Amino acid sequence: MGNVETGIQLLAKRFAADPERFQAVLEEVRHLERLNDGDFVCRAGEAAECLWIIEDGIVVIGEGEKITRRYKGDLVGEIAFHRRGETTRSTSMKADGTVRLWRIDRSKIDAMLPEDRVVWLDVVAAALSEKVIEATEQRSNLLRDNVSLDHVLKRFVCGDGIMAVNGAFDRQHIVPDQTTALLWFSDLAGFSAFSKDLPPGVAGEQIRRFMEIQVEEIHRAGGEIDKFMGDGLMAFWRVPDDMRLHDRVPRAVNAALICVERIKSIVVAEGLALDIRIGLHMGPVVIGDFGGNDRIAYTLLGETVNSASRYEQARQDTAGRPLGNIRLSGPVFANLHDEELVSRFEAEPREFEAKAGRTFSTHSSIDGGP
């Protein structure tokens, strides 16, 4: 046991240019204290009249969720002690278990010879420097973790939904927002029959590659994925003003056309009994977190959402003729000003009947049907 290093020796070894000289400087200024579990080393708001070197045990710095632990050979309490213009403790410190501390009083440091004070301050500066580096690394790790967390969250919620999640971390509720949005509903027609005899892993791989095509094109067009629904998905674009209306509606329609072309090329090349339906509709919606107290459910609500799903679900018009792969509502078609895009859809709308006998009007893409 005689070879066990003291807390002062450990501190000297880590930070002193001349460890023996540093120990000699402290020989006359130190005083050993013993604390039991839970005893306060100091309390927030108290005058910083001393600092300590831990001889044995653990000191907990901070309260609640902001806690740091210091161990044998660590210097504690020195930040408030050396803070210029303010000498009160900013946080409390407690003993975790039985703790022994070398207390060094301000009066002892004030009475040091100048050359001894230089030795002392050199060690304090080195210890503080290490804590700054440690804090910087922790902050860097926290920022990296936050970025990584956002990347993970974006796989589950749309970009707007990230605000709701971050608000939940801060115990804040995001107030729902009323706006105008362009809604996208799509479904991979025939996938249930196609996948019923496939192993689960294979079925998952198949649906992912078709979903990934849509996700790529929707994001490329500036849209947000709201949710995946089996072999279908829901996406949206905010279009609250004329500028975004004229920009995003054509981009969304073009994304739908590209998705159909890409998926059909795979279906034809591999001889798959699959096709895709996409319905696009726009109008007023309420967007926000509509989950419970312990679950976030960021989505869009309103009659526009319900109606948009009908455009995807329709198979044929009221005359029994099949609709094309893409079905645009009147408001969406009216905001297509590019002649090439307009030419990809029927100029005259057709009617189809949805649930509860409701009739909708659509401009169907000129591409056959699903």
Side-chain angles (χ1 to χ4, degrees):
M1 295 295 292
N3 294 326
V4 176
E5 293 179 302
T6 67
I8 291 177
Q9 287 174 327
L10 289 175
L11 181 68
K13 180 186 288 187
R14 289 167 63 192
F15 301 119
D18 185 341
E20 292 186 2
R21 174 74 193 284
F22 175 73
Q23 293 175 64
V25 166
L26 292 187
E27 192 68 36
E28 300 299 325
V29 301
R30 64 191 188 181
H31 171 72
L32 190 62
E33 295 181 341
R34 176 190 171 96
L35 300 176
N36 295 318
D37 183 42
D39 287 348
F40 278 94
V41 178
C42 63
R43 298 176 186 269
E46 289 181 347
E49 299 171 346
C50 62
L51 42 72
W52 300 267
I53 299 169
I54 301 175
E55 176 61 26
D56 287 307
I58 301 171
V59 172
V60 177
I61 301 173
E63 297 177 298
E65 298 175 355
K66 298 179 179 179
I67 287 178
T68 298
R69 286 175 168 80
R70 297 298 178 190
Y71 304 90
K72 180 175 181 176
D74 281 337
L75 184 65
V76 294
E78 80 284 3
I79 295 177
F81 186 87
H82 288 95
R83 187 181 296 129
R84 178 176 296 179
E86 182 182 346
T87 57
T88 57
R89 307 289 182 189
S90 60
T91 189
S92 300
M93 294 191 287
K94 282 185 177 182
D96 184 0
T98 301
V99 174
R100 291 194 302 159
L101 303 165
W102 291 105
R103 174 190 171 105
I104 303 171
D105 195 84
R106 182 180 297 279
S107 62
K108 299 292 186 181
I109 295 175
D110 289 344
M112 282 182 177
L113 296 173
E115 57 269 28
D116 290 343
R117 187 190 294 267
V118 169
V119 172
W120 164 253
L121 291 177
D122 185 57
V123 169
V124 171
L128 280 170
S129 177
E130 183 174 274
K131 289 182 180 180
V132 170
I133 293 171
E134 177 186 321
T136 302
E137 290 176 347
Q138 290 175 344
R139 184 174 184 273
S140 177
N141 291 337
L142 181 60
L143 290 172
R144 185 177 64 249
D145 290 344
N146 285 342
V147 171
S148 298
L149 178 59
D150 280 352
H151 282 308
V152 172
L153 290 174
K154 285 176 182 177
R155 299 184 65 184
F156 295 91
V157 295
C158 63
D160 281 358
I162 298 295
M163 293 187 297
V165 175
N166 290 332
F169 284 135
D170 295 331
R171 295 179 174 85
Q172 296 178 357
H173 179 69
I174 304 301
V175 178
D177 177 29
Q178 186 163 359
T179 186
T180 302
L182 169 64
L183 277 297
W184 164 309
F185 278 86
S186 62
D187 183 78
L188 199 60
F191 186 79
S192 295
F194 165 73
S195 63
K196 66 182 180 66
D197 295 325
L198 295 176
V202 176
E205 290 175 2
Q206 291 287 350
I207 194 65
R208 276 195 296 272
R209 67 169 176 162
F210 291 117
M211 288 298 180
E212 188 59 33
I213 289 172
Q214 297 178 72
V215 171
E216 286 177 4
E217 298 303 334
I218 289 169
H219 283 165
R220 188 174 287 123
E224 299 275 10
I225 305 298
D226 180 86
K227 63 174 67 73
F228 295 92
M229 304 170 291
D231 52 13
L233 67 81
M234 172 183 167
F236 69 96
W237 287 255
R238 286 176 178 261
V239 287
D241 50 52
D242 288 344
M243 182 179 70
R244 279 174 277 194
L245 191 69
H246 294 155
D247 173 65
R248 294 179 180 180
V249 172
R251 291 174 66 188
V253 172
N254 189 58
L257 289 166
I258 294 173
C259 283
V260 169
E261 292 172 357
R262 291 181 62 183
I263 290 174
K264 278 183 173 290
S265 67
I266 295 173
V267 167
V268 171
E270 300 181 14
L272 306 177
L274 298 173
D275 213 328
I276 184 171
R277 296 189 303 268
I278 301 174
L280 294 172
H281 178 47
M282 59 182 289
V285 298
V286 177
I287 181 169
D289 176 15
F290 301 106
N293 291 332
D294 59 351
R295 185 176 180 86
I296 292 171
Y298 196 87
T299 190
L300 292 78
L301 298 180
E303 178 57 31
T304 299
V305 181
N306 298 332
S307 296
S309 66
R310 306 297 183 233
Y311 285 88
E312 174 271 307
Q313 294 167 357
R315 294 340 191 237
Q316 58 187 24
D317 64 15
T318 52
R321 296 174 299 169
L323 296 171
N325 291 90
I326 305 171
R327 303 83 183 275
L328 308 183
S329 69
V332 176
F333 184 77
N335 280 280
L336 295 183
H337 307 293
D338 182 272
E339 291 185 5
E340 183 178 350
L341 272 183
V342 172
S343 69
R344 303 288 297 274
F345 295 87
E346 297 172 351
E348 293 299 321
R350 287 197 269 161
E351 292 188 340
F352 65 89
E353 189 173 303
K355 294 179 180 179
R358 288 186 62 190
T359 300
F360 292 83
S361 178
T362 182
H363 294 264
S364 176
S365 56
I366 304 171
D367 53 14

